Amino acid sequence: MAWFETWFDTPYYHILYKDRNFAEAEKFISLLIKHLDLPQHSKIVDLACGKGRHSVFLNQLGFQVLGLDLSKASILHNKQFENPTLKFSVHDMRNEISPEILPEKADAVFNLFTSFGYFEDEKEDEKVFQSVANSLKENGFFVLDYLNARKVENSLVKEQIITKGGIDFTIKKKIEDQHIIKDIYFEADGKSQHFFEKVKLHTLDEIERYAEKYGFESVRTFGNYELGGFDLENSPRCINIFQKKN
């Protein structure tokens, strides 16, 4: 199994990342919605939705939301939040979204907080763009919120210890073959544990090339969650706003 098929389904993943700044995330989403000027009741797909917090927030803002994620455990958790305008389903982002779970094309697809770049083969990355393009209405938006590869390379912290939920996580990072690899070591449930994350350091040029191939036009690139301009050397994020044109 691929690393993301095991690690994301463990309780330890959610312990390590449980203190993510959701206030910042909700502010970012609010700014994003205002920038896109999406009408209320628009249909949004939250692709790789995790435990659904951002899907729930988007729904509270008045949108019809479909949250999709490969993790069965996360989707099972999210089912408690469902209502007539908020649905969740297990889905691999490389595959087409079936009409059974998305009967009508979406107004926007959001892929937030570096939920891309997990795949070894470039063709699998392209499948994501193809699937998103086929899921969107004409002029629909695709928001790909990704890391800024140059900034990651320039500010890498090779080793640190993070304590969460009574567990000391030793995090070791390295860059290898255009990927950032994060090895995660800890003791839990009476034994030594080791998981890893591996994300491709896609450049902005590469991302825009994928987008153009599948009929997207680049509308704007932001460099942070306040929607500031993108600076290749210094921006912490590479937030791409694409619009489907054909």
Side-chain angles (χ1 to χ4, degrees), residues 148-156 231-237:
N148 177 7
R150 181 72 63 84
K151 178 69 172 177
V152 169
E153 291 168 341
N154 291 341
S155 60
L156 186 72
D231 180 278
L232 181 62
E233 299 294 332
N234 299 307
S235 292
R237 305 300 300 169

Side-chain angles (χ1 to χ4, degrees), residues 3-4 92-94 116-122 124-125 128 179 198 200:
W3 68 265
F4 49 85
D92 185 324
M93 68 171 71
R94 292 167 288 187
F116 178 67
Y118 301 158
F119 313 120
E120 294 290 341
D121 190 336
E122 183 178 47
E124 294 189 304
D125 291 326
V128 177
H179 288 79
K198 185 177 181 180
K200 191 171 183 182

Side-chain angles (χ1 to χ4, degrees), residues 187-236:
E187 299 284 334
D189 295 326
K191 61 179 181 178
S192 297
Q193 308 274 357
H194 173 224
F195 294 91
F196 73 93
E197 300 173 8
K198 185 177 181 180
V199 178
K200 191 171 183 182
L201 293 172
H202 283 296
T203 65
L204 178 57
D205 287 345
E206 287 172 334
I207 290 171
E208 290 182 338
R209 177 166 53 83
Y210 294 149
E212 184 178 1
K213 182 174 180 177
Y214 291 98
F216 289 104
E217 179 180 279
S218 179
V219 177
R220 189 76 182 269
T221 305
F222 295 111
N224 55 43
Y225 289 135
E226 292 76 42
L227 302 192
F230 179 73
D231 180 278
L232 181 62
E233 299 294 332
N234 299 307
S235 292

Side-chain angles (χ1 to χ4, degrees), residues 104-122:
E104 299 176 3
K105 291 186 182 292
D107 298 286
V109 174
F110 291 174
N111 183 252
L112 305 176
F113 306 103
T114 313
S115 299
F116 178 67
Y118 301 158
F119 313 120
E120 294 290 341
D121 190 336
E122 183 178 47

Side-chain angles (χ1 to χ4, degrees), residues 46-100:
D46 184 8
L47 190 62
C49 65
K51 283 208 163 182
R53 186 174 181 116
H54 309 115
S55 299
V56 171
F57 182 64
L58 285 165
N59 185 241
Q60 290 171 346
L61 292 176
F63 299 102
Q64 301 178 66
V65 181
L66 172 64
L68 302 175
D69 202 276
L70 186 62
S71 169
K72 294 178 181 177
S74 291
I75 294 300
L76 183 62
H77 168 270
N78 296 350
K79 288 290 186 180
Q80 65 184 300
F81 305 124
E82 287 192 332
N83 63 51
T85 57
L86 176 61
K87 301 296 180 185
F88 292 96
S89 187
V90 175
H91 175 74
D92 185 324
M93 68 171 71
R94 292 167 288 187
N95 299 333
E96 296 293 324
I97 305 175
S98 72
E100 287 75 22

